[in-house]
Amino acid sequence: MSTPKRVLLVGAGHAHLHVAAEAAALRSAGVRTTLIDPGLFWYSGRATGMLGGQFSAADDQIDPRAVIERAGGEFIAGRVEHIDRVARRVYLANGSTHDYDWLSINVGSGVNTQAIEGCADDPTCWPVKPIARLEALHQTLVEAFAAGQTPSLAVIGGGATGCEIAANLAGLARRACDADRKPIIQLLQSGDTLAPALPRGARERLGSHLTGLGVQVKYNAKVTGREHGALVLSDGESLDANHVVLATGLTAPGWLGSLGLAFDDGLVVDKTLRSIDDDRVFAVGDCARIQGHSLPRLGVFGVRQAPVLLANLRAVARGQPMQHYTPQSKWLSILDLGDGTGLATRGERWWQGRASAWLKHWLDRRFIERYRV
């Protein structure tokens, strides 16, 4: 019998969870599947709700080992340190090496903490990714509130994520603090518009809603540095902040740029989700850039890419034609506002209220339960 071909899945992102759960389908095509990831999958859809105290850390986690082993694949706990594309070999930080016939990368995105001087090594600066950092911030704030403290909080970045973070910080304070003892929560937006990607009416409703929650929104506030427990703005103003959340935008992991492949804040792939420079390498989700498209970094795209990736991995193993992935022109996005309401948008349509929050929580629960035993 011939030796089975091997697919290495690097990173347990949205798309790779689906492929891992369907490892048996790849095995039927003569391919054994191995998933490499440091540990747990944190679901981004519940991250802000976890920060606000609506969900526990366990409510936001999926065990990728259980997912792939249940389907007959292999899981390796580790972090990739180097990829040799000529030898088709992956090197892990623990010293182990693993050969592949095809490689797929789904390692998500992160925040550039170097963009604001003084934040990278400051333990009171909390990037929105990795999501485990938001859970650590939640625990830090709960302990502070329980001790009678009201640390001042600042969120840098007034996009949709920053607004959602600020709303859930207000929700956490409302749950954990006395009515007459609330922390100052500031949302700092470098421009003059909150969440500019949202429809105009939704932006206006979001701004007034945040104000009603007690969030102080400051426009045209460009943060340049952090010094001695304060944020320094480009106009020289200084704002006190005991804790700072960085919601300044997501970027692809920098190490992907060293692979010798076309890279544009993400590995450049074609419509088959395969690198334009190496037909043995696929990339999906936040760490990929699809030629001809400029997509926001949202989990919905990784979810939609998943079945195409699975089909194409089977196709290359069998020498068959591959499918094309076409991004949807409109998608549903729902912000959890931390008070039992949500703000839903799809294209230029939007609606805010408890029904939106209910729908979001139902969709999130359905996704997580799909991959649990």
XYZ file of all heavy atoms in Angstrom, residues 206-292:
633
model
N -25.478 54.083 17.552
C -24.430 53.507 18.378
C -23.785 54.568 19.257
O -23.556 54.345 20.459
C -23.376 52.839 17.487
C -22.216 52.126 18.180
C -22.723 51.039 19.131
C -21.268 51.521 17.141
N -23.501 55.733 18.694
C -22.886 56.795 19.474
C -23.758 57.248 20.628
O -23.285 57.407 21.764
N -25.043 57.443 20.364
C -25.949 57.877 21.438
C -26.144 56.771 22.464
O -26.283 57.046 23.663
C -27.293 58.310 20.844
O -27.924 57.228 20.180
N -26.133 55.536 22.020
C -26.303 54.420 22.951
C -25.101 54.320 23.892
O -25.256 54.106 25.099
C -26.473 53.110 22.178
C -26.949 51.976 23.023
N -28.275 51.767 23.333
C -26.265 50.980 23.652
C -28.402 50.703 24.096
N -27.195 50.196 24.307
N -23.901 54.480 23.359
C -22.700 54.437 24.195
C -22.723 55.558 25.227
O -22.376 55.350 26.399
C -21.445 54.535 23.332
C -21.094 53.294 22.501
C -19.964 53.603 21.528
C -20.704 52.131 23.406
N -23.125 56.727 24.805
C -23.229 57.850 25.744
C -24.223 57.527 26.851
O -23.982 57.810 28.034
C -23.654 59.128 25.009
O -22.682 59.443 24.001
C -23.760 60.300 25.972
N -25.337 56.910 26.480
C -26.323 56.517 27.472
C -25.813 55.470 28.445
O -26.280 55.387 29.596
N -24.858 54.666 28.011
C -24.257 53.664 28.890
C -23.199 54.266 29.814
O -22.655 53.564 30.670
C -23.618 52.550 28.058
C -24.563 51.662 27.242
C -23.764 50.688 26.380
C -25.521 50.905 28.148
N -22.891 55.536 29.623
C -21.897 56.199 30.460
C -20.509 56.240 29.868
O -19.548 56.630 30.546
N -20.378 55.855 28.604
C -19.073 55.884 27.940
C -18.811 57.303 27.430
O -19.664 57.902 26.772
C -19.022 54.887 26.765
C -17.687 54.994 26.019
C -19.250 53.466 27.269
N -17.625 57.816 27.737
C -17.231 59.136 27.253
C -16.503 58.972 25.914
O -15.416 58.399 25.870
C -16.313 59.821 28.265
C -16.949 60.037 29.631
C -15.978 60.637 30.632
O -14.893 61.114 30.273
N -16.355 60.625 31.908
N -17.133 59.431 24.844
C -16.556 59.283 23.512
C -15.777 60.547 23.157
O -16.298 61.661 23.250
C -17.657 59.032 22.468
C -17.033 58.849 21.081
C -18.489 57.803 22.836
N -14.528 60.362 22.773
C -13.669 61.493 22.417
C -13.226 61.311 20.974
O -12.576 60.320 20.629
C -12.451 61.545 23.341
C -11.611 62.805 23.187
C -10.496 62.847 24.215
C -9.656 64.109 24.103
N -10.422 65.337 24.397
N -13.612 62.274 20.122
C -13.298 62.212 18.691
C -11.988 62.936 18.382
O -11.522 63.766 19.153
C -14.437 62.827 17.874
C -15.746 62.080 17.996
C -16.720 62.487 18.911
C -16.010 60.963 17.203
C -17.929 61.808 19.022
C -17.211 60.276 17.302
C -18.159 60.707 18.221
O -19.349 60.028 18.333
N -11.431 62.620 17.228
C -10.182 63.237 16.756
C -9.099 63.157 17.832
O -8.326 64.108 18.029
C -10.431 64.699 16.357
C -11.430 64.805 15.218
O -11.283 64.142 14.192
N -12.469 65.619 15.405
N -9.071 62.022 18.500
C -8.097 61.797 19.576
C -7.088 60.753 19.112
O -7.333 59.544 19.221
C -8.813 61.328 20.842
N -6.000 61.211 18.558
C -4.963 60.309 18.073
C -3.944 60.068 19.178
O -3.252 60.990 19.606
C -4.275 60.888 16.837
C -3.219 59.955 16.245
C -2.700 60.468 14.940
C -1.592 59.568 14.391
N -2.026 58.164 14.253
N -3.858 58.831 19.638
C -2.952 58.478 20.731
C -1.583 58.164 20.160
O -1.445 57.374 19.218
C -3.489 57.262 21.519
C -2.545 56.893 22.648
C -4.888 57.553 22.056
N -0.555 58.782 20.735
C 0.810 58.567 20.247
C 1.674 57.792 21.228
O 2.691 57.219 20.832
C 1.492 59.911 19.957
O 1.523 60.703 21.152
C 0.733 60.665 18.865
N 1.304 57.770 22.513
C 2.154 57.069 23.470
C 1.475 56.874 24.811
O 0.404 57.416 25.087
N 2.131 56.043 25.613
C 1.666 55.802 26.984
C 2.823 56.053 27.930
O 3.906 55.466 27.768
C 1.160 54.375 27.142
C 0.682 54.050 28.569
C -0.344 52.944 28.551
N -0.755 52.479 29.868
C -1.609 53.122 30.667
N -2.110 54.290 30.282
N -1.956 52.622 31.835
N 2.575 56.930 28.927
C 3.617 57.294 29.874
C 3.033 57.411 31.276
O 2.041 58.119 31.484
C 4.254 58.642 29.495
C 4.957 58.670 28.152
C 5.489 60.054 27.823
O 5.245 60.994 28.642
O 6.135 60.221 26.779
N 3.623 56.702 32.222
C 3.290 56.868 33.643
C 1.784 56.772 33.912
O 1.195 57.624 34.579
C 3.837 58.206 34.160
C 5.260 58.468 33.800
N 6.293 57.656 34.204
C 5.824 59.460 33.037
C 7.440 58.126 33.725
N 7.176 59.213 33.011
N 1.152 55.759 33.351
C -0.268 55.555 33.597
C -1.183 56.505 32.872
O -2.362 56.626 33.216
N -0.684 57.191 31.853
C -1.502 58.129 31.083
C -1.288 57.896 29.593
O -0.292 57.296 29.169
C -1.152 59.569 31.441
N -2.249 58.361 28.799
C -2.141 58.316 27.347
C -1.814 59.712 26.832
O -2.426 60.702 27.249
C -3.448 57.829 26.729
C -3.802 56.363 26.976
C -5.201 56.062 26.462
C -2.787 55.431 26.327
N -0.857 59.778 25.934
C -0.448 61.056 25.346
C -1.058 61.170 23.958
O -0.917 60.266 23.123
C 1.085 61.156 25.266
C 1.489 62.492 24.647
C 1.704 60.990 26.645
N -1.747 62.280 23.693
C -2.366 62.500 22.397
C -1.479 63.353 21.512
O -0.552 64.016 21.982
C -3.735 63.170 22.569
C -4.719 62.482 23.514
C -6.087 63.157 23.429
C -4.846 61.000 23.216
N -1.776 63.325 20.224
C -0.940 64.043 19.264
C -0.952 65.545 19.493
O -0.004 66.245 19.104
C -1.406 63.738 17.835
O -2.757 64.101 17.667
N -2.006 66.071 20.124
C -2.060 67.510 20.390
C -1.417 67.878 21.724
O -1.493 69.039 22.168
C -3.506 68.010 20.359
C -4.379 67.341 21.420
O -3.855 66.540 22.231
O -5.601 67.611 21.438
N -0.789 66.881 22.390
C -0.101 67.125 23.645
C -0.938 66.866 24.877
O -0.417 66.869 26.002
N -2.244 66.657 24.706
C -3.105 66.387 25.858
C -2.742 65.040 26.484
O -2.319 64.103 25.795
C -4.572 66.368 25.427
C -5.541 66.183 26.579
C -6.985 66.165 26.125
O -7.241 66.333 24.905
O -7.874 65.973 26.983
N -2.922 64.930 27.795
C -2.653 63.700 28.527
C -3.928 63.244 29.230
O -4.603 64.038 29.883
C -1.537 63.928 29.555
O -1.259 62.743 30.269
N -4.252 61.958 29.070
C -5.456 61.391 29.673
C -5.072 60.261 30.616
O -4.365 59.330 30.212
C -6.399 60.857 28.590
C -6.914 61.840 27.548
C -7.746 61.105 26.504
C -7.743 62.932 28.201
N -5.530 60.322 31.854
C -5.266 59.246 32.802
C -6.047 57.998 32.400
O -7.224 58.071 32.022
C -5.669 59.655 34.216
C -4.754 60.725 34.794
O -3.594 60.799 34.344
O -5.201 61.488 35.675
N -5.405 56.839 32.503
C -6.058 55.561 32.210
C -5.291 54.455 32.904
O -4.130 54.201 32.565
C -6.113 55.318 30.703
N -5.924 53.814 33.880
C -5.262 52.707 34.574
C -5.113 51.480 33.682
O -4.135 50.733 33.786
C -6.049 52.333 35.827
C -6.097 53.456 36.841
O -7.166 53.964 37.181
N -4.937 53.885 37.332
N -6.108 51.274 32.814
C -6.050 50.161 31.864
C -6.451 50.660 30.484
O -7.366 51.480 30.346
C -6.987 49.025 32.292
C -6.574 48.360 33.570
N -5.570 47.423 33.625
C -7.034 48.518 34.839
C -5.431 47.017 34.871
N -6.292 47.668 35.631
N -5.761 50.134 29.466
C -5.985 50.565 28.084
C -6.260 49.338 27.225
O -5.498 48.363 27.254
C -4.753 51.307 27.525
C -4.972 51.689 26.071
C -4.433 52.530 28.377
N -7.342 49.373 26.485
C -7.657 48.301 25.541
C -7.320 48.789 24.135
O -7.769 49.861 23.708
C -9.137 47.892 25.617
C -9.401 46.727 24.656
C -9.523 47.499 27.034
N -6.535 48.007 23.417
C -6.097 48.374 22.074
C -7.012 47.718 21.045
O -6.962 46.507 20.822
C -4.651 47.925 21.845
C -3.607 48.477 22.824
C -2.239 47.887 22.525
C -3.567 49.993 22.763
N -7.864 48.532 20.430
C -8.751 48.072 19.362
C -8.455 48.878 18.110
O -9.339 49.441 17.468
C -10.207 48.231 19.774
N -7.174 48.944 17.776
C -6.682 49.831 16.724
C -6.623 49.172 15.356
O -6.018 49.717 14.436
C -5.285 50.343 17.110
O -4.459 49.214 17.476
C -5.359 51.290 18.291
N -7.242 48.022 15.207
C -7.224 47.326 13.921
C -6.386 46.071 13.983
O -5.457 45.954 14.790
N -6.719 45.119 13.125
C -6.068 43.814 13.127
C -5.096 43.692 11.958
O -5.341 44.215 10.872
C -7.119 42.702 13.044
C -8.138 42.668 14.188
C -9.188 41.603 13.923
C -7.447 42.415 15.524
N -4.000 42.980 12.193
C -3.011 42.729 11.159
C -2.664 41.246 11.145
O -2.800 40.551 12.153
C -1.722 43.538 11.399
O -1.147 43.140 12.660
C -2.010 45.030 11.435
N -2.197 40.768 10.012
C -1.764 39.373 9.908
C -0.459 39.183 10.661
O 0.339 40.120 10.793
C -1.580 38.993 8.441
N -0.205 37.985 11.201
C 1.069 37.724 11.884
C 2.257 38.031 10.986
O 2.313 37.591 9.828
C 0.988 36.227 12.211
C -0.476 35.931 12.289
C -1.102 36.813 11.240
N 3.195 38.788 11.518
C 4.319 39.235 10.718
C 5.189 38.125 10.169
O 5.786 38.272 9.094
N 5.273 36.970 10.887
C 6.169 35.902 10.442
C 5.745 35.311 9.099
O 6.570 34.711 8.388
C 6.280 34.807 11.497
C 5.020 34.038 11.795
C 4.082 34.331 12.736
C 4.579 32.829 11.165
N 3.083 33.392 12.735
C 3.353 32.465 11.779
C 5.093 32.026 10.148
C 2.640 31.319 11.413
C 4.382 30.883 9.767
C 3.174 30.543 10.393
N 4.487 35.506 8.713
C 4.044 34.995 7.422
C 4.749 35.702 6.267
O 4.899 35.140 5.183
C 2.534 35.166 7.280
C 1.660 34.364 8.259
C 0.199 34.712 8.065
C 1.879 32.869 8.089
N 5.203 36.931 6.514
C 5.898 37.670 5.482
C 7.285 37.142 5.179
O 7.902 37.549 4.190
N 7.786 36.225 6.017
C 9.132 35.673 5.812
C 9.114 34.355 5.056
O 10.161 33.717 4.911
C 9.817 35.469 7.174
O 9.143 34.466 7.929
N 7.961 33.932 4.566
C 7.868 32.634 3.895
C 8.306 32.675 2.438
O 8.372 31.634 1.777
C 6.429 32.106 3.969
C 5.874 31.822 5.363
C 4.465 31.260 5.258
C 6.780 30.857 6.115
N 8.595 33.870 1.925
C 8.979 33.969 0.525
C 7.794 33.895 -0.417
O 7.958 33.625 -1.604
N 6.604 34.145 0.109
C 5.381 34.134 -0.686
C 4.819 35.544 -0.787
O 5.106 36.390 0.055
C 4.340 33.219 -0.036
C 4.725 31.750 0.133
C 3.676 31.022 0.971
C 4.875 31.077 -1.228
N 4.021 35.789 -1.802
C 3.366 37.088 -1.934
C 2.594 37.382 -0.652
O 1.812 36.558 -0.177
C 2.427 37.085 -3.132
N 2.827 38.581 -0.100
C 2.268 38.943 1.202
C 1.818 40.391 1.157
O 2.581 41.272 0.785
C 3.324 38.738 2.291
C 2.841 39.020 3.686
C 2.125 38.068 4.400
C 3.091 40.244 4.289
C 1.678 38.324 5.686
C 2.648 40.515 5.573
C 1.938 39.552 6.271
N 0.573 40.625 1.506
C 0.017 41.971 1.546
C -0.852 42.072 2.793
O -2.083 42.019 2.708
C -0.796 42.242 0.272
C -1.424 43.632 0.266
O -0.990 44.486 1.055
O -2.370 43.847 -0.522
N -0.187 42.200 3.964
C -0.866 42.088 5.250
C -1.729 40.830 5.255
O -2.870 40.827 5.710
C -1.710 43.318 5.559
C -2.180 43.337 7.015
O -1.538 42.670 7.855
O -3.192 43.984 7.309
N -1.157 39.763 4.767
C -1.823 38.474 4.633
C -1.229 37.753 3.440
O -0.771 38.391 2.478
N -1.198 36.427 3.487
C -0.708 35.660 2.353
C -1.679 35.819 1.191
O -2.885 35.629 1.343
C -0.582 34.178 2.727
C 0.512 33.846 3.742
C 0.439 32.385 4.157
C 1.894 34.155 3.162
N -1.157 36.171 0.032
C -2.002 36.424 -1.130
C -2.373 35.093 -1.775
O -1.503 34.304 -2.154
C -1.294 37.333 -2.148
C -2.215 37.603 -3.335
C -0.866 38.638 -1.485
N -3.690 34.847 -1.868
C -4.185 33.596 -2.445
C -5.118 33.907 -3.603
O -5.644 35.022 -3.729
C -4.922 32.743 -1.380
C -3.986 32.362 -0.251
C -6.144 33.483 -0.827
N -5.336 32.893 -4.455
C -6.280 33.060 -5.553
C -7.664 32.570 -5.135
O -7.901 32.306 -3.944
C -5.773 32.337 -6.807
C -5.596 30.834 -6.590
O -6.227 30.276 -5.658
O -4.832 30.209 -7.360
N -8.567 32.424 -6.070
C -9.941 32.060 -5.742
C -10.080 30.643 -5.204
O -11.116 30.287 -4.642
C -10.834 32.241 -6.972
C -11.009 33.693 -7.387
C -11.920 33.816 -8.594
C -12.098 35.269 -8.993
N -13.002 35.413 -10.178
N -9.026 29.825 -5.385
C -9.064 28.470 -4.827
C -8.538 28.444 -3.393
O -8.475 27.382 -2.785
C -8.228 27.503 -5.686
O -6.836 27.837 -5.570
C -8.664 27.543 -7.138
N -8.133 29.610 -2.884
C -7.563 29.777 -1.537
C -6.132 29.247 -1.460
O -5.617 29.005 -0.369
C -8.443 29.095 -0.475
C -9.908 29.532 -0.485
C -10.704 28.756 0.552
C -10.028 31.030 -0.227
N -5.495 29.115 -2.613
C -4.124 28.625 -2.688
C -3.181 29.779 -2.981
O -3.514 30.693 -3.736
C -4.022 27.553 -3.781
C -2.737 26.783 -3.810
C -2.856 25.516 -4.637
N -3.239 25.785 -6.026
C -3.299 24.832 -6.957
N -3.025 23.574 -6.640
N -3.628 25.143 -8.187
N -1.996 29.748 -2.355
C -1.003 30.794 -2.576
C -0.724 30.964 -4.057
O -0.623 29.978 -4.799
C 0.297 30.439 -1.841
O 1.370 31.259 -2.289
N -0.584 32.219 -4.483
C -0.299 32.475 -5.890
C 1.130 32.092 -6.247
O 1.474 32.054 -7.431
C -0.563 33.949 -6.260
C 0.368 34.877 -5.478
C -2.022 34.308 -6.030
C 0.271 36.340 -5.913
N 1.958 31.791 -5.243
C 3.362 31.461 -5.486
C 3.718 30.005 -5.200
O 4.810 29.564 -5.569
C 4.276 32.349 -4.622
C 4.237 33.803 -5.045
O 4.084 34.059 -6.255
O 4.344 34.673 -4.177
N 2.855 29.272 -4.523
C 3.187 27.898 -4.126
C 1.900 27.082 -4.107
O 1.027 27.293 -3.268
C 3.844 27.891 -2.743
C 4.407 26.525 -2.360
O 3.918 25.506 -2.894
O 5.323 26.471 -1.514
N 1.777 26.140 -5.038
C 0.530 25.374 -5.134
C 0.405 24.302 -4.058
O -0.564 23.541 -4.050
C 0.367 24.765 -6.532
C 1.493 23.819 -6.912
O 2.310 23.475 -6.031
O 1.561 23.424 -8.092
N 1.376 24.241 -3.157
C 1.280 23.328 -2.013
C 0.784 24.031 -0.752
O 0.616 23.401 0.286
C 2.659 22.715 -1.714
C 3.218 21.848 -2.822
C 2.641 20.472 -2.773
N 3.146 19.596 -3.820
C 2.955 18.285 -3.860
N 2.273 17.701 -2.891
N 3.433 17.559 -4.856
N 0.574 25.350 -0.838
C 0.232 26.136 0.349
C -1.128 26.819 0.153
O -1.346 27.508 -0.854
C 1.308 27.198 0.640
C 0.902 28.065 1.832
C 2.661 26.529 0.911
N -1.997 26.641 1.135
C -3.285 27.320 1.181
C -3.290 28.266 2.378
O -2.552 28.059 3.348
C -4.438 26.315 1.341
C -4.641 25.407 0.163
C -3.824 24.300 -0.044
C -5.667 25.655 -0.748
C -4.023 23.459 -1.131
C -5.871 24.817 -1.836
C -5.051 23.717 -2.031
N -4.127 29.286 2.326
C -4.293 30.190 3.476
C -5.725 30.692 3.487
O -6.314 30.976 2.434
C -3.314 31.358 3.415
N -6.291 30.804 4.686
C -7.694 31.213 4.835
C -7.849 32.110 6.053
O -6.984 32.186 6.914
C -8.614 29.976 4.983
C -8.792 29.250 3.671
C -8.076 29.021 6.042
N -9.001 32.773 6.117
C -9.308 33.597 7.278
C -8.542 34.902 7.294
O -8.111 35.431 6.259
N -8.341 35.424 8.495
C -7.720 36.739 8.669
C -6.298 36.816 8.152
O -5.801 37.913 7.864
C -7.709 37.119 10.155
C -9.065 37.596 10.639
O -10.022 37.593 9.843
O -9.161 37.981 11.824
N -5.596 35.692 8.064
C -4.183 35.734 7.664
C -4.013 35.667 6.151
O -2.881 35.607 5.660
C -3.398 34.614 8.337
S -3.788 32.955 7.743
N -5.109 35.676 5.401
C -5.045 35.577 3.940
C -5.626 36.825 3.294
O -6.480 37.508 3.860
C -5.795 34.336 3.458
N -5.150 37.127 2.086
C -5.705 38.181 1.248
C -6.053 37.567 -0.101
O -5.182 37.006 -0.770
C -4.697 39.313 1.054
C -4.505 40.204 2.256
C -5.747 41.016 2.544
N -5.517 42.025 3.573
C -6.477 42.683 4.205
N -7.742 42.418 3.915
N -6.197 43.587 5.113
N -7.303 37.656 -0.498
C -7.751 37.057 -1.743
C -7.596 38.072 -2.870
O -8.073 39.204 -2.769
C -9.204 36.585 -1.627
C -9.332 35.559 -0.496
C -9.691 35.972 -2.949
C -10.752 35.176 -0.184
N -6.919 37.670 -3.932
C -6.695 38.572 -5.059
C -8.016 39.159 -5.559
O -8.996 38.442 -5.766
C -6.020 37.823 -6.211
C -4.522 37.746 -6.129
C -3.922 37.153 -7.396
O -4.406 36.165 -7.922
N -2.847 37.768 -7.881
N -8.022 40.468 -5.727
C -9.200 41.126 -6.274
C -10.253 41.493 -5.256
O -11.309 42.027 -5.613
